[in-house]
Amino acid sequence: MKVKLDEIMPARLVALLEALCHEVDTVPAEKLTGKPDPDVWAAVRGAGRFFITQDLDFSDVRQFAPGSHPGILVVRLRAPGANALIERVTWAANEHPLDALAGCFAVLSDRKLRVKRPSPVG
């Protein structure tokens, strides 16, 4: 799966996700660091990438309705240090293959992964 990590996600996640056979790009690698969220979102959608972020601006399921994008994983940890982020995102990618989250809106917390899937058509 094609994945984009937001600028606030640890760079070490790139190698870990690539080891799980994902094609990973990052906001900093595309020189989008500090750019407005609409610019970042346009790059995510334009590249058809599943987006992993901690940015609450991407947490409104009404604005980012399942099925209207390649997929979003919003990570919400009580203590979001680099090691905790790496541990939880790696756990999620191992336990819930990211391919199965394509088009979904997901929130990863310290305890669980909540997933809103696109509504079935017809």
Side-chain angles (χ1 to χ4, degrees):
M1 168 171 256
K2 292 167 59 175
V3 175
K4 184 177 299 293
L5 296 175
D6 203 356
E7 65 187 271
I8 50 183
M9 299 304 294
R12 288 183 285 162
L13 274 171
V14 172
L16 294 168
L17 292 173
E18 286 176 342
L20 295 172
C21 298
H22 298 295
E23 179 188 313
V24 184
D25 195 1
T26 66
V27 167
E30 286 198 342
K31 307 218 184 319
L32 293 169
T33 302
K35 297 287 184 185
D37 289 339
D39 293 353
V40 172
W41 186 239
V44 168
R45 290 197 63 176
R49 291 188 178 269
F50 183 85
F51 191 46
I52 302 177
T53 185
Q54 293 183 85
D55 189 336
L56 289 180
D57 291 339
F58 294 99
S59 67
D60 184 350
V61 72
R62 294 166 300 180
Q63 183 178 355
F64 301 101
S68 69
H69 51 73
I72 298 174
L73 175 63
V74 178
V75 184
R76 300 299 308 144
L77 304 181
R78 280 179 276 148
N83 291 334
L85 287 165
I86 289 166
E87 180 182 318
R88 287 305 287 161
V89 171
T90 302
W91 171 85
N94 280 309
E95 295 296 317
H96 305 276
L98 296 183
D99 294 348
L101 298 178
C104 296
F105 180 90
V107 178
L108 178 62
S109 69
D110 293 293
R111 296 184 183 186
K112 63 184 172 183
L113 175 68
R114 290 176 292 155
V115 180
K116 292 194 180 283
R117 299 190 184 284
S119 298
V121 178

